[in-house]
Amino acid sequence: MAKLLIHGGKKITGKLRVNGAKNAALPIMAACILVKGEVILKRVPDISDVWVMANILRSLGAEVDFEGRGEMRINTDNISITTAPYELVKQIHASFDITGPLLARFDKAEVHLPGGCVIGTRAVDLHIEGFEKLGAEVEMEHGILKAKRKELKGARIYFPKSSVGATKNIMMAACLSGGRTILENAAREPEVADLGGFLVKCGAKISGIGTSNIEIEGVKRLKGAEYSIISDRIEAGTYLFASVITEGDVYLEDIDPKFLESVIAKIESTGQKVEKGENWIRLKATRPVRALEITTAPFPGFPTDLQPPLASVLTVADGTSIIEETIFDGRFNYVDELRRMGADIRVHDKSAVVKGVKKLTGAPVDAMDIR
Ligand code: UD1
C-alpha cells in the first residue's frame, strides 16, 4: 500500500490541466464490448482503476493497448468469454459496467458482484430490474449475477432512485436491443452523458442525453470510433478545495465550469471569489473561510465525491457547518482520520456537524475514502 509523507503549511499554487474523467473512461472502456472494430480513446487517465478495467477487458479476450499519454486502443472483436475473474472484478466498482454490454452482445453475462466498499452499501437491484425489463432472466448464484436472454427488447424503465451505475448499464444494453427503450429518472451526471456521446459516435441512436429522460432506439451493431473523454470534475473540484484550505491560488485548464456549478456556488458561499471562463477556473483563496450548510445530491446537485474534500475545508472554517450526505451510507468513514489531525466533527446518522478549529496538525492517517 502506498504511503504519502506530506509536509504541511504550504500553499497549493499553480496552473494545471485537468485529466480525463475516471468515471467516464471506465464505462466507455466497458462499452467497447458493444463495438465491432477498433476504438481509439483520448484523454484516458493513467490511473490504477483504468489499468484494472483494461485487464478485465483483456481477460475476456479483448486487445487493449495503452501506452500512456492518454491514448488507448481497444478492439473487442475476438472476445468470446462472458465472465471476468473475481480477483479483477472485486478491485473496482465500475467492473459491473461490463454486465450490460456482455448481455447485449452475447445474450448472457456472468459478473461477480462488485460488493460494497468503504463509502457504503452499493446495491444493484436497479440494474437487475432494468435487465429484466429488457427481457433478460437474472439470477444470483455464488455471488455472481447471471443474466441471459433469448432476445433483448425495448422497454419503458422508471428508476425510483437516480443511479449512475444502473443508467449506464441499461443504456448500454439497450443500444443493441430490439425496439425503443425509455429511461425515466435517469442519472444526469456528465460522465453518463459522456458515455452516451461515445455510444452515439459509434452509431447508437440515443436522445435526451444529459437529461433525466433518455430514449434509445436499438440498432444492429456499433462501429469503431475515436473519442475524447471529458475532464474530471471531481479532480478539478479537489484542487479547488486544496486551494481554499491552504490559502493557495490554482488555475485549472481544460475544465468546463458548467460541470461544477453547484461546487463553485458552495465555494463562493464560503467567501471565496472564483473566476471562470469557457474552459478554465481560477481560485485565489482568501481568509476567512465561512462555515456553511450543504446537502449532497445527484447531478446537478453537490456531488457526494466532493463531500470529503469540502469537509476538510470546513474543519478550519469560521463557525459551525452542517453536512448532510444523501447518497452513500458510509461516506463519513474518513471522519475519525480528520479527528486525528485535530478536526472537530460529530456524525449523527446522515449528518455531520463540523466546528471550525484554528488549524489542523500533522498525524498518521489512513486514506479510507479515495476522495
Ligand atoms: C457512481 C460513481 C461514484 C459516485 C456515484 C454517485 C463511478 C465509477 N462511480 O457510483 O464515484 O459517487 O456514482 O454520483 O462512476 N443504488 C441502489 N440500487 C442500485 C444502484 C444504486 O440502491 O441498483 C444506490 C446506491 O447504493 C447509492 C445510490 O443509489 O446509495 C447512488 O448509486 P449510483 O448512482 O448507482 O452510484 P455508482 O454508480 O455506484
Side-chain angles (χ1 to χ4, degrees):
M1 187 167 292
K3 194 185 272 187
L4 299 175
L5 192 59
I6 300 162
H7 296 282
K10 301 228 167 38
K11 293 174 191 282
I12 303 281
T13 296
K15 196 184 223 189
L16 68 91
R17 230 185 127 209
V18 177
N19 285 300
K22 165 177 92 80
N23 287 351
L26 297 174
I28 288 174
M29 289 170 70
C32 291
I33 294 172
L34 296 165
V35 176
K36 278 259 181 291
E38 186 175 74
V39 172
I40 300 174
L41 299 177
K42 302 262 168 94
R43 300 196 70 217
V44 178
D46 194 359
I47 55 174
S48 59
D49 285 25
V50 162
W51 308 335
V52 173
M53 184 59 96
N55 284 335
I56 289 174
L57 294 177
R58 288 184 186 116
S59 76
L60 301 173
E63 287 164 34
V64 183
D65 185 18
F66 187 41
E67 287 173 359
R69 298 183 314 280
E71 187 170 307
M72 180 177 277
R73 286 167 188 269
I74 302 179
N75 190 317
T76 67
D77 287 358
N78 295 327
I79 283 189
S80 53
I81 301 165
T82 54
T83 184
Y86 175 66
E87 288 308 318
L88 286 174
V89 168
K90 70 172 188 187
Q91 291 181 39
I92 56 169
H93 189 76
S95 56
F96 206 61
D97 291 349
I98 64 174
T99 316
L102 284 175
L103 179 63
R105 175 156 162 198
F106 297 103
D107 298 335
K108 68 174 195 162
E110 295 191 358
V111 182
H112 290 272
L113 285 189
C117 71
V118 288
I119 62 174
T121 321
R122 294 179 92 166
V124 292
D125 54 314
L126 302 175
H127 302 241
I128 293 174
E129 279 170 34
F131 292 140
E132 285 174 342
K133 288 229 165 85
L134 290 181
E137 281 170 26
V138 184
E139 60 177 30
M140 290 291 311
E141 216 175 37
H142 310 300
I144 302 172
L145 180 141
K146 299 183 174 178
K148 60 176 190 236
R149 60 146 187 188
K150 287 207 174 69
E151 188 190 14
L152 279 194
K153 55 183 198 302
R156 179 181 285 270
I157 298 167
Y158 171 77
F159 295 112
K161 175 192 254 191
S162 170
S163 163
V164 169
T167 303
K168 290 183 301 188
N169 244 331
I170 306 306
M171 180 162 77
M172 290 189 279
C175 282
L176 296 186
S177 300
R180 170 176 299 220
T181 297
I182 299 171
L183 306 182
E184 292 172 334
N185 197 27
R188 289 180 284 165
E189 270 68 5
E191 296 76 21
V192 176
D194 205 36
L195 170 64
F198 168 72
L199 292 166
V200 167
K201 189 107 195 261
C202 296
K205 290 197 179 146
I206 308 176
S207 59
I209 289 173
T211 74
S212 52
N213 273 284
I214 301 176
E215 286 197 28
I216 306 127
E217 192 71 53
V219 295
K220 283 256 172 316
R221 52 178 286 173
L222 298 184
K223 56 181 191 327
E226 191 172 312
Y227 193 78
S228 185
I229 310 278
I230 54 165
S231 298
D232 197 314
R233 66 194 164 103
I234 306 303
E235 177 181 307
T238 305
Y239 283 115
L240 296 178
F241 289 125
S243 172
V244 179
I245 196 169
T246 65
E247 212 181 337
D249 182 2
V250 297
Y251 183 99
L252 305 179
E253 293 177 313
D254 235 337
I255 177 72
D256 184 345
K258 280 205 282 302
F259 293 164
L260 285 155
E261 272 173 4
S262 62
V263 175
I264 291 172
K266 280 296 168 192
I267 291 177
E268 286 173 339
S269 333
T270 69
Q272 310 299 315
K273 194 168 171 303
V274 181
E275 295 170 70
K276 51 189 192 277
E278 206 175 298
N279 219 16
W280 60 270
I281 305 174
R282 180 181 178 196
L283 198 166
K284 186 170 184 331
T286 54
R287 289 288 184 268
V289 176
R290 288 202 292 266
L292 48 81
E293 288 188 14
I294 175 107
T295 302
T296 59
F299 191 83
F302 189 91
T304 176
D305 288 347
L306 285 174
Q307 184 261 98
L310 171 63
S312 306
V313 169
L314 297 177
T315 61
V316 291
D318 270 11
T320 300
S321 301
I322 296 174
I323 304 173
E324 192 193 356
E325 170 60 47
T326 66
I327 312 290
F328 290 116
D329 53 15
R331 200 98 220 213
F332 286 126
N333 286 346
Y334 63 86
V335 160
D336 284 342
E337 304 305 303
L338 282 182
R339 279 206 197 103
R340 291 182 207 276
M341 301 173 76
D344 182 348
I345 311 182
R346 268 154 229 264
V347 177
H348 308 276
D349 192 19
K350 291 180 170 175
S351 300
V353 178
V354 187
K355 281 192 190 157
V357 295
K358 282 235 154 4
K359 64 168 194 170
L360 302 180
T361 55
V365 292
D366 276 3
M368 313 285 294
D369 182 315
I370 67 162
R371 305 301 180 182

